[in-house]
Amino acid sequence: MKRLKMNKMKKSRHNFHKGIELHKVCSNDLLRPVMNYIYFEHSYAIASDGRILIKAKVSEISNFNEQEIELLNGHFLHATGFRILMKHDVVSVEKDGFLAQGDSYSIKIHFYSDETMKFPNYQKIFDEWSPGDHRKIVLNTHYLSKIVDSVNAKDVRMRFGKNDNQGIILQFPVSDLNDTKGMIMPKLDSDDF
């Protein structure tokens, strides 16, 4: 008598893509608690620790549908919640948070709600940035590594602003991250080479 093997159908991942680590860009700052969260706004996920920032287009770093992405708008998710979320393959977006489901469990990861908490005006920095020429700039490579790792990018294009105090805009050319951008604030250096 032959035994029939029951093949379980593997569920395809419905979540942020594997390797996305936006939580690593967030800080653990008691004085500025908003920096401990990922903020969702206008189809983007924004994470910052005050020195570096990633503005990732949700449709590029996940396979959530348009309705789910719209439900994210205006919500905060703690970095720890995001890290937990990434451990699950099947996740749905609901009005009050994410629902992670497996064969024998379901876990709710709630959005944080506090009307007094405001994310810094990151868009103003992007809007005021303009390209320019620099002979030198000092860059903390740890910051660059954190940004690149947060979206699982292998290559990065750096665009430098006109002024020494403007941030460095990061783009990810050899990937599907066409509208995702990062920013690193430069370390000012008075030493001439």
Side-chain angles (χ1 to χ4, degrees):
M1 192 191 247
K2 287 185 179 179
R3 284 192 173 194
L4 296 175
K5 285 187 178 179
M6 297 290 286
N7 289 334
K8 283 188 177 180
M9 289 185 61
K10 185 176 180 182
K11 294 179 183 177
S12 60
R13 187 171 177 86
H14 185 77
N15 195 349
F16 291 95
H17 301 313
K18 283 192 180 277
I20 299 299
E21 297 182 324
L22 299 180
H23 59 282
K24 289 186 174 181
V25 179
C26 297
S27 71
N28 189 10
D29 191 338
L30 295 176
L31 297 176
R32 296 191 320 170
V34 73
M35 298 286 106
N36 303 333
Y37 291 84
I38 295 160
Y39 179 54
F40 297 97
E41 183 178 54
H42 306 303
S43 303
Y44 287 89
I46 300 95
S48 177
D49 69 1
R51 296 176 308 279
I52 59 174
L53 179 140
I54 188 76
K55 178 185 176 187
K57 189 145 191 176
V58 175
S59 62
E60 294 177 349
I61 62 170
S62 75
N63 58 0
F64 293 127
N65 64 41
E66 287 181 34
Q67 291 81 17
E68 289 173 306
I69 293 171
E70 183 62 33
L71 283 173
L72 295 173
N73 193 38
H75 291 293
F76 291 91
L77 179 65
H78 196 276
T80 302
F82 188 86
R83 185 175 44 80
I84 293 167
L85 181 71
M86 291 304 296
K87 294 178 181 181
H88 303 280
D89 287 330
V90 180
V91 172
S92 58
V93 181
E94 299 182 343
K95 289 181 181 181
D96 60 345
F98 292 92
L99 180 64
Q101 296 179 320
D103 290 336
S104 60
Y105 69 89
S106 65
I107 298 171
K108 186 70 172 236
I109 302 168
H110 291 277
F111 295 129
Y112 180 73
S113 296
D114 182 350
E115 292 187 21
T116 64
M117 191 159 79
K118 302 284 184 219
F119 207 79
N121 188 356
Y122 65 92
Q123 190 58 46
K124 181 179 178 186
I125 298 169
F126 280 107
D127 293 342
E128 292 178 353
W129 186 89
S130 57
D133 296 322
H134 286 283
R135 289 182 296 151
K136 65 177 182 166
I137 192 161
V138 176
L139 180 65
N140 183 322
T141 57
H142 177 70
Y143 296 159
L144 179 61
S145 176
K146 282 177 74 171
I147 287 277
V148 171
D149 289 349
S150 75
V151 292
N152 198 27
K154 302 297 179 224
D155 296 294
V156 64
R157 176 184 297 125
M158 295 195 269
R159 300 185 59 106
F160 297 87
K162 261 190 212 180
N163 302 322
D164 288 337
N165 62 349
Q166 285 187 315
I168 302 154
I169 300 285
L170 306 174
Q171 297 170 306
F172 312 99
V174 186
S175 67
D176 294 330
L177 304 172
N178 299 319
D179 290 324
T180 294
K181 294 179 182 174
M183 177 174 282
I184 300 176
M185 296 308 293
K187 203 172 168 186
L188 298 179
D189 181 23
S190 60
D191 186 22
D192 290 323
F193 292 113

